[in-house]
Amino acid sequence: MKAHEGMYIAGAWRPAAGEDVLEVVNPADEQVIAHVPAGTAEDVDAAVRAARAALPAWAATPPAERAARLAALRDALAARKDEIAETVTAELGSPPAFSQAVHVGLPILVAGSYAELAASHPFEEKVGHSVVHQEPIGVVGAITPWNYPLHQIVAKVAPALAAGCTVVLKPAEDTPLTARLFAEAVHEAGVPAGVFNLVTGLGPVAGQALAEHEGVDLVSFTGSTAVGRRIGATAGAAVKKVALELGGKSANVILPSADLVKAVNVGVANVMSNSGQTCSAWTRMLVHRERYEEAVELAAAAAAKYGDRIGPVVNARQRDRVRGYIDKGLEEGARLVVGGTEPPVARGYFVRPTVFADVTPGMTIAQEEIFGPVLSILAYEDEDDAVRIANGTVYGLAGAVWAADDAEAAAFARRLDTGQVDINGGRFNPSAPFGGYKQSGVGRELGAHGLAEYLQTKSLQFQER
Ligand code: NAP
Ligand code: MG
């Protein structure tokens, strides 16, 4: 696997300021596959300066030319499809087919969508005797997690570049190699020097330095609620704009009229995909009391079918954390119907696909984000009870509703305090706004709503004639 040394700053790969390195580990076999430099505040400062220096020219670049660079970026990612998929599999552990289809396929679509939006977005509008210009917000500090290592990067960098912003990216320490391939693609796409910069390193060091840097105008963060809260506080104190994509504990609500077999099977697949490491995963399944046992049986069979086909979780800490939640579920009296804490294989950070029944709304496994292949099934008495349970967490990122017809499901979905709901298995739309209600976050990503996050308005008033 080839990887450049150092950091990508001001259009070139340059050595890090310090000597420290991070180990990159393959979670499927626990082998060290690479080292990358652990960036410091000094590297972050150099990157932010480069981004500031590049800002005026990039902000003044006509949207059509920014669109052309984004189209070239989409093509550069597509040309590296196999290499990126192999890298995601090596550092995240995701099965190869999922890496190809989702980890690489989705970001290519999103990059393409921003090439189109940059070309078509009306960056000015008339409001009475005013002309309102939408201008880039400035230098963006992007901090991303490991769970969708390329998607999380593209979901921030593509709209930022479309808007005319410049970017410094601090990717997750577990998945820096995918971020480097992305930087290579940006370079190949002819994006001018300094418009995009990459600093690898640890969250509390490089990430924090980026979030605190006074040369950053907007901090866009995806990750845990705990870190997001701190970043929000830091940004608030500096009167800096912040976008936070945080955790979730989404509900998959199966109404009595639904096709139970389909709803349960799609629901289980949704939780097990990416080994449960999806912030929008429907980790709580809500089933009417009368169909509860039937649903539990179906879910157990569906989860058992996954067996050893799911990948590992990203690292030993996540594996231990997920197992801790499984223990907690048992302790609090939930009924384990499949899976458990026993390691399925001797090597690698694998967790068995796990399903709990008889989960009650107050249990830890019904309230906290587990971020592993663990499904909790809860019973409800009637629709009002289902709404109460579904809305009864601090989160509100996503969800699903199933019913005999779309109108019935949609009416129920309107009662959920959440940013996205899939109706009867409606598939993910990479141009629809994605983001959280309540503690799932602030702001939206993807599509035109995602672009708006990187723009600020300037109103010019003209004399009325
Ligand atoms: P995390 O610590 O919040 O990591 C997200 C990003 O923030 C990483 O790049 C991380 O760097 C960085 N970071 C960490 N501490 C920071 C700080 N003090 N200042 C600035 N940046 C900082 O999340 P995690 O530890 O990887 O995962 C923990 C939990 O977060 C998961 O179990 C899950 O519940 C949740 N999570 C949610 C999402 C989501 O999409 N909403 C994604 C991933 C994780 P390092 O990589 O060096 O830590
Ligand atoms: Mg961390």
Side-chain angles (χ1 to χ4, degrees):
M1 190 170 313
K2 102 174 138 65
H4 285 285
E5 298 298 314
M7 311 291 184
Y8 183 72
I9 295 175
W13 293 91
R14 52 186 259 181
E19 308 267 279
D20 289 352
V21 293
L22 306 176
E23 280 186 349
V24 185
V25 174
N26 182 333
D29 61 11
E30 306 182 27
Q31 297 299 302
V32 175
I33 53 172
H35 292 87
V36 299
T40 59
E42 223 178 300
D43 299 299
V44 168
D45 187 57
V48 173
R49 283 169 193 278
R52 276 240 86 80
L55 181 63
W58 184 246
T61 299
E65 169 57 18
R66 300 202 298 257
R69 292 307 109 224
L70 283 163
L73 173 60
R74 172 202 60 207
D75 295 345
L77 292 171
R80 288 167 170 273
K81 209 169 189 293
D82 293 342
E83 190 184 6
I84 298 172
E86 281 160 23
T87 303
V88 173
T89 292
E91 63 183 0
L92 179 66
S94 152
F98 192 78
S99 292
Q100 277 278 354
V102 177
H103 286 299
V104 190
L106 176 59
I108 291 171
L109 284 179
V110 172
S113 78
Y114 280 109
E116 283 167 27
L117 272 167
S120 63
H121 186 76
F123 286 92
E124 64 174 81
E125 65 178 313
K126 252 185 106 28
V127 178
H129 63 284
S130 302
V131 174
V132 180
H133 293 271
Q134 295 183 2
E135 301 186 342
I137 208 150
V139 173
V140 175
I143 301 174
T144 55
W146 40 264
N147 63 333
Y148 287 86
L150 184 60
H151 170 68
Q152 307 282 21
I153 291 172
V154 171
K156 297 186 189 310
V157 177
L161 299 195
C165 293
T166 59
V167 181
V168 176
L169 168 68
K170 201 303 281 180
E173 62 185 275
D174 291 299
T175 55
L177 303 179
T178 303
R180 287 180 158 199
L181 291 175
F182 175 78
E184 289 181 7
V186 168
H187 191 82
E188 274 170 26
V191 173
V195 170
F196 170 80
N197 308 273
L198 170 68
V199 176
T200 55
L202 294 174
V205 183
Q208 193 162 329
L210 182 58
E212 289 175 350
H213 201 293
E214 58 182 23
V216 169
D217 301 297
L218 161 66
V219 182
S220 181
F221 169 83
T222 300
S224 62
T225 300
V227 175
R229 192 174 279 126
R230 289 186 51 183
I231 287 179
T234 304
V239 198
K240 228 180 245 184
K241 196 176 169 189
V242 68
L244 305 171
E245 292 289 343
L246 309 177
K249 191 73 193 176
S250 298
N252 177 17
V253 183
I254 305 175
L255 295 175
S257 65
D259 175 344
L260 190 68
V261 174
K262 186 172 177 204
V264 170
N265 282 320
V266 174
V268 169
N270 172 285
V271 173
M272 300 307 160
S273 103
N274 212 36
S275 304
Q277 304 167 118
T278 304
C279 44
S280 55
W282 312 328
T283 50
R284 295 178 297 151
M285 184 181 285
L286 274 57
V287 187
H288 191 273
R289 177 73 64 204
E290 280 180 2
R291 304 188 76 185
Y292 189 77
E293 277 313 319
E294 200 188 333
V296 169
E297 264 176 45
L298 287 166
K305 268 203 321 233
Y306 277 86
D308 50 10
R309 281 192 296 123
I310 69 169
V313 296
V314 72
N315 58 33
R317 193 171 62 93
Q318 281 296 119
R319 177 199 55 198
D320 296 346
R321 193 169 171 272
V322 175
R323 285 192 190 154
Y325 276 112
I326 296 174
D327 279 332
K328 195 85 184 160
L330 291 167
E331 253 171 65
E332 293 183 2
R335 168 164 54 112
L336 182 71
V337 292
V338 68
T341 53
E342 248 157 70
V345 288
R347 210 172 236 288
Y349 309 128
F350 290 88
V351 179
R352 289 165 184 258
T354 296
V355 176
F356 278 109
D358 301 343
V359 177
T360 54
M363 286 182 186
T364 306
I365 57 169
Q367 288 293 324
E368 295 185 14
E369 182 172 53
I370 298 175
F371 235 61
V374 182
L375 171 67
S376 297
I377 312 182
L378 296 92
Y380 66 83
E381 304 299 334
D382 56 30
E383 271 200 23
D384 287 346
D385 191 34
V387 170
R388 245 186 330 267
I389 296 170
N391 288 339
T393 77
V394 297
Y395 294 115
L397 189 54
V401 182
W402 303 79
D405 64 85
D406 285 355
E408 184 193 353
F412 186 92
R414 294 296 303 271
R415 301 178 69 189
L416 298 179
D417 301 331
T418 191
Q420 283 235 343
V421 185
D422 294 352
I423 303 297
N424 284 325
R427 69 186 166 82
F428 185 74
N429 177 352
S431 291
F434 182 92
Y437 279 31
K438 301 192 284 184
Q439 288 184 30
S440 285
V442 176
R444 293 291 179 268
E445 294 195 312
L446 304 179
H449 292 265
L451 178 61
E453 296 283 333
Y454 296 91
L455 293 164
Q456 57 190 343
T457 56
K458 179 183 286 170
S459 306
L460 306 183
Q461 283 66 245
F462 291 84
Q463 267 189 351
E464 290 167 273
R465 292 177 199 280

